Amino acid sequence: MISTRFVLKRLLLLVPVLVGVASLVFSILHLSPGDPALTIAGERASEEFVRQVEESLGLNDPIWVQYGRFLADAAQFQFGESFIIQRNTPVREVLASKLPVTLELALYGQLIGVSLGIPLGILSAVKQDSITDHLTRIGALTGISVPIFWSGPLLILLFAQMLGWLPTSGRISVLYNVEAIRVTGLVTIDTLLAGNMEMFVSAVRHMILPASVIGVYSMALISRMMRSSMLEVIRQDYMRTARAKGQGAKITVLKHGFRNAMIPVITVIGIQFGGLLGGAVLTETVFAIGGIGTLLVEAIKVGDYPIVQGTVLTFAFLFTLVNLGVDITYSILDPRIEQ
């Protein structure tokens, strides 16, 4: 049973992390070249109009005043309005439209990675140095080594162009209006809630290729970590004792070994998932999905500072939540960690 004190302690530790990230973002953007007021007003704007924009944004205030205002707004998830990408649109609304895209991709990609990586890692460890072990290790090494910008187009060429089984890009067929049934922003979930199976099938078919590209990479990392962790656990004295008492190898591994071997694997899963929430930019670009990672890259290119600030702080917040989930999972797997 997880104690409330443990969870509250971990939640309090998130505060200095988020403040530190916010301070770093504020400092970098203020030190970066370019004038936000000039970006908003336009290069042909008069100096008087540029000064008016600076005054309206509070850019003439002392730096500590701007910093305090920035922290207060960030605590309320108020990041102002977009300068360029979606002009005069609140950043919170822009993020709300893009975040579910990346979240859905990350969830399905990680689901594929976990469901394949953990069983393969256990199998590889139990059958160490067998042909199964060698094939699994070769597959994992290949999955890590192949870059997404190569594997993505290759899958599109094979399954979309040559075989014609799956679509090449997007989240759902252009024949359907997803916004009309939007609830969560996750297309597969929204189509299920709407009870429209044709739209659901279309959404799943569009998700298979991008999720598989991410899933194969995650599977490779997870299976390698699972194998090494399970091999270490199998050699422990309590595992030998369990086998000496007459327990079968399968029961020993699953009942006594799996729980302890999962602790370092949970770390890899958490880091992977947190990184994907930060935006699988290459996957989003190859499959023309347009999630939050692509949004950040575009905002940096055009100098849309409110979008950059809001996106980076959202990344940090989500990553800290994932780390909190990892810590709680640790305490479930091994109660001694809580102490």
Side-chain angles (χ1 to χ4, degrees), residues 134-144 216 219-220:
H134 293 318
L135 290 175
T136 302
R137 292 165 67 184
I138 292 173
L141 184 61
T142 304
I144 294 175
V216 168
M219 177 272 294

Side-chain angles (χ1 to χ4, degrees), residues 198-243:
E198 289 185 6
M199 293 179 68
F200 173 72
V201 171
S202 176
V204 171
R205 292 181 70 247
H206 280 76
M207 184 58 62
I208 289 176
L209 287 183
S212 297
V213 169
I214 291 177
V216 168
Y217 182 78
S218 297
M219 177 272 294
L221 289 177
I222 292 171
S223 65
R224 285 172 64 87
M225 177 58 71
M226 190 74 223
R227 178 184 183 275
S228 61
S229 180
M230 183 59 75
L231 283 175
E232 184 178 349
V233 168
I234 286 174
R235 299 188 182 104
Q236 298 298 316
D237 291 339
Y238 66 86
M239 295 291 287
R240 285 194 289 268
T241 302
R243 287 195 295 270

